[in-house]
Amino acid sequence: MDIGSKDIISNLPDALLCHVLSFLPTTEAASTSVLAKRWRYLLAFVPTLDLDNMIYDRPKMGRRKRLEMRKSFKLFVDRVLALQGNAPLKKFSLRCKIGSDPSRVNGWVLKVLERGVVEFDLYITSEYEYPLPPEVLMTKTLVRLKLAGTDEFTVDVGEVFLPKLKTLHLTAISFGDEGGPPFAKLISACDALEELVMIKMMWDYWEFCSVSNPFLKRVTIDCENIDENPKSVSFDTPNLVYLEFTDTVAVKYPKVNFDSLVEASVGLRMTPDQVFHARDLVNSHHGYKRCKGANAADFMMGICNVKTMYLSSEALEVLTFCCKKAIPVFNNLIHLTVETDERVDWESLPILLKNCPNLETLVFEGLHYGDLNQCFDKDYSFKDTNECYGDQGDTCQCKPWYGTPVWLSSSPVKILKVLKFGQISSYKDDMERQTDLIEHFLESMPNLEQVILYYDTTFDDDLKIVSTQLQMLEKVASTKCKIQVISDNISYSFTVYSSSSTSGLNFFKDTFPHDKPKSDDELSRSFMEFVDRVLALQGNGSINRFSLDCSNFDVDLARVTGWILNVLGRGVSDLDLSLLEYSLPSEIFVSKTLVKLKLGPANDLTLTIDRKDVFLPKLKTLYIDSVEVQERGFGFVKLLSGCPVLEELVLMNIGWENWQFCTVSVKTLKRLTFFCEDAYENPKSVSFDTPNLVYLEYSDAIAGKYPKVNFNSLVEAHIGLRLTEDQSGDADFSEEDYFSEGGEEKQMVGNATDFLKGISNVQILYLSAKAIEVLTFCCEPIPVFNNLFQLTIENNSEVRWDSLPGLLKNCPNLETLVLKRLLHKCNKGCGNVCCCKRPKHPSCLSSSPVKVLKIFLFEDNDEEDGSEMRQIKYFLEKMPRLEQLIVYYSTSYDPAVLELSKKLQKIPKIASPKCKIQVISENLSLSSTVPSFLTTNWSALPPEEEYPWVESPPPPVYDFAPSPDEEDYWF
């Protein structure tokens, strides 16, 4: 269709045109009145006014011209307000410089207040005092209020009635001479206030500042850098979840109530005089002295339940000098970001990290630190051969803290990220200094799983040098740590394996020395003699880990018991046993030193629980695989009840389908894996009482009932629930009735509703193909997942999509949807998320909040009818908020990838015009924005999914543009 000569805009309704004009400054919206008669009076119905006379205040314009423009602006505002009359107004924004007479501006303000304005934004600059009209604080309709200007803009708080106000922004305004009391009155009187933003506020002269409101959820405070400490600052915000606080440290914090705080960005600082005095004492070898006139201890104690925290470099210095001996314990903190500065040392960092017992991710912004000038102390020596001051000048290579090995060796951190790695800030900074620090982390932190260095360089060779240096490390504390060095152009990924010896013993069936092939009896005898000799050689020395695997041949069980008792007596902390036909000694279950216990996999390994004797006071990880538990459910409950600090539990194939009940009740548990292979029977009763669990993997036949499901803290869940064969047969029979022409009600073949309700607060969810079938036939109704933002669904050709519409509708905040294959079983109840059947009702995809859609396609797909491609097209046509579609194509055949990319480019109609599309394979990574006739420039982009073919080095860039003459035969 030729649309080049048609005026599409003229055919739009007036309401839509006014909506478009509301996004323009009012002066520009008014200029459209000359386009045609129809446009002449549209401005009268625009619900948003954005007025700014500051644009006329340019020195080059000349004084006379500026006065004329200001007069013209006033007349323009008068005419616009007169034209609109008393029509309701959604938003009014005014930026204005006024003289000594504010009556005209006040008239405009009162006029828009009478019209029921919802959003009010007022910016006033003046050489004379300008008091805010008191009517503003008595407006019933205001939802958002923003006041900004200069110190002459004052707010006199008299009566306050703002029943609908949710957002309040205050920038560089004054509350008069009293300051504190009127400000406190304003904040406390806003009964619906959820967000408070204060920028460039100067409250150092106030007697006190109090932010007290039980409804506040977000607070941002960024005060001017001043030379005085505020006298008193208090917070009483029990429902606050986000805090951004930048200010000079107060003299005192009488009340700090942040009971619900989740994330905090702290930018506390000392005054310039305090900074100079504190650093001068350290540099003069007088040590770290408490800063006078500033105390941040009570404030830090008030935010100690935070989960995510950002500390500026200045705040790190505040911890050193303003609450060094009172840094609180942050039990809930899992993510910490620390900004570094070459002028700020890390004296407080060891204490801080030691007081974060559950910290998982540590991020450094840069790796700069101030020289302590403590080189006379041998405890600060970074390396045995290091010279603090070399020939290159005044560059100290000392450790940036005291006693590093102690707090690093017990650090729980799993992920370490360094932003701006390699950034050199001064002559005191160099790459060797930063790289030495990374090596020290790798050599000292035992729980590291991932180190990511974001290298601030444009030279690829720099990454190669650093990567090579780190790969050559002879010793690392964590052998499973993966290291990534990333720049704007390239990424290196590798794992460093330590060549140093460990303090553990590992005995496997085929790893002990022998010269020639032996019979099974000889092999068994040699193995036992070898173990005896090694244990005798070591005597009573302490042992960290003992692993014994002799599950493929017979051994003397009495000798095995002796070995186990030997290592238990030597204080073993990590015990791994895989044996045949063996009853575990009871001494295992009263060990005071065990931290990790792994039993199995094995045949006929029996766990007998004496109900009077189970106490494992240090056990944090318990792994049970194919072990027979005596007394079944009762014995299992007794075992768990004797583990008071258990954090991770893995249960594999322990035959609980024959138990009367299975209960996992551990208050301290954080990770649970619950797996059973295909079973013919449903477990009778399964309960979970794990209020602090954050990660769950659950794969089993659905239970007969779920009496208790307590997952209050659950963040991520991988669900592999399935039907038994009998239930699958009943489901097939039910499907025939349900989708027959009679439309009978679908019959449930099991009940997983209580379990799914129990995980409804999860944030990340993975559902297997069989779990999708459980949703269809064993869950009524599907619960609402209000917190879910990432959902992954596995599919195959036998899976029905009947439950997907209900599931997606009940995920109102879903942002990322991942589909493993697009194959599914088509039927008359296929659901309105599918293109294979014409839906009777509008597709639920049209209201989907999903922004990122990831789809995995595989070469082994047997369907060659293009059904998966049609389904992708259907998603693009129906999902209006989609910002990114990523298709992972598991193929090494490049033409197939290019062909798929061409088909996606040619889709004629999409619901979201800003959607960016990527097609990623083993060799190629192609991206574009549809429609293809607008964008045909492809670029290589690094994928993010954890698949081997995705983690390879970035593929080459292809400039690919399909010919407009090619026919699209796919659709």
Side-chain angles (χ1 to χ4, degrees), residues 484-497:
Q484 288 180 275
V485 186
I486 300 172
S487 71
D488 292 339
N489 304 320
I490 196 170
S491 172
Y492 284 96
S493 179
F494 53 91
T495 303
V496 179
Y497 297 96

Side-chain angles (χ1 to χ4, degrees), residues 1-263:
M1 182 178 64
D2 182 15
I3 61 173
S5 60
K6 290 195 174 183
D7 183 2
I8 299 178
I9 294 180
S10 295
N11 293 325
L12 297 177
D14 288 352
L16 183 55
L17 292 177
C18 290
H19 180 70
V20 173
L21 292 178
S22 68
F23 293 96
L24 298 175
T26 303
T27 52
E28 295 181 14
S31 65
T32 62
S33 62
V34 301
L35 296 177
K37 290 182 179 180
R38 182 190 174 197
W39 291 77
R40 184 171 299 175
Y41 299 107
L42 281 181
L43 185 61
F45 306 101
V46 175
T48 298
L49 295 180
D50 184 359
L51 302 161
D52 185 359
N53 84 338
M54 305 292 288
I55 59 176
Y56 308 126
D57 195 30
R58 294 193 293 268
K60 293 183 179 180
M61 187 178 289
R63 182 175 181 275
R64 183 174 181 179
K65 181 66 173 179
R66 286 200 305 272
L67 293 175
E68 292 178 357
M69 295 299 292
R70 288 177 186 172
K71 182 178 180 180
S72 175
F73 175 80
K74 295 176 184 178
L75 295 174
F76 172 73
V77 177
D78 288 340
R79 288 198 299 268
V80 169
L81 293 177
L83 176 66
Q84 292 196 332
N86 294 321
L89 189 62
K90 180 181 179 182
K91 180 180 179 180
F92 180 77
S93 176
L94 175 64
R95 291 175 58 88
C96 189
K97 183 173 183 179
I98 61 176
S100 58
D101 183 10
S103 59
R104 199 157 189 175
V105 171
N106 288 346
W108 299 338
V109 170
L110 297 178
K111 180 64 176 178
V112 298
L113 293 179
E114 292 174 0
R115 294 170 57 186
V117 66
V118 176
E119 297 183 37
F120 185 73
D121 184 349
L122 183 62
Y123 179 91
I124 297 293
T125 63
S126 176
E127 297 178 0
Y128 306 92
E129 182 176 339
Y130 174 76
L132 180 73
E135 290 83 357
V136 174
L137 303 183
M138 293 291 293
T139 306
K140 299 179 181 180
T141 58
L142 277 182
V143 175
R144 186 176 185 275
L145 174 60
K146 182 175 181 181
L147 304 175
T150 62
D151 293 341
E152 305 303 326
F153 188 173
T154 61
V155 178
D156 184 11
V157 182
E159 292 187 60
V160 179
F161 185 63
L162 298 166
K164 294 185 178 181
L165 190 68
K166 290 187 176 182
T167 303
L168 176 61
H169 282 242
L170 304 173
T171 302
I173 64 172
S174 171
F175 282 88
D177 294 336
E178 295 184 20
F183 171 77
K185 179 180 178 181
L186 172 62
I187 301 302
S188 61
C190 300
D191 293 336
L193 191 63
E194 295 182 356
E195 181 176 9
L196 172 65
V197 178
M198 301 172 61
I199 308 296
K200 296 182 179 180
M201 299 291 291
M202 297 183 65
W203 54 32
D204 55 305
Y205 65 92
W206 296 5
E207 286 301 318
F208 70 89
C209 174
S210 176
V211 179
S212 177
N213 190 299
F215 307 102
L216 273 173
K217 295 180 179 179
R218 295 177 64 90
V219 168
T220 300
I221 298 176
D222 187 355
C223 293
E224 290 281 358
N225 195 353
I226 53 180
D227 296 333
E228 298 292 333
N229 301 95
K231 297 179 178 64
S232 174
V233 177
S234 295
F235 296 91
D236 187 10
T237 52
N239 291 302
L240 197 75
V241 295
Y242 177 84
L243 171 67
E244 191 172 336
F245 186 37
T246 301
D247 190 17
T248 306
V249 184
V251 176
K252 61 180 179 179
Y253 294 89
K255 186 170 186 178
V256 184
N257 180 3
F258 293 126
D259 289 346
S260 304
L261 194 62
V262 174
E263 183 174 355

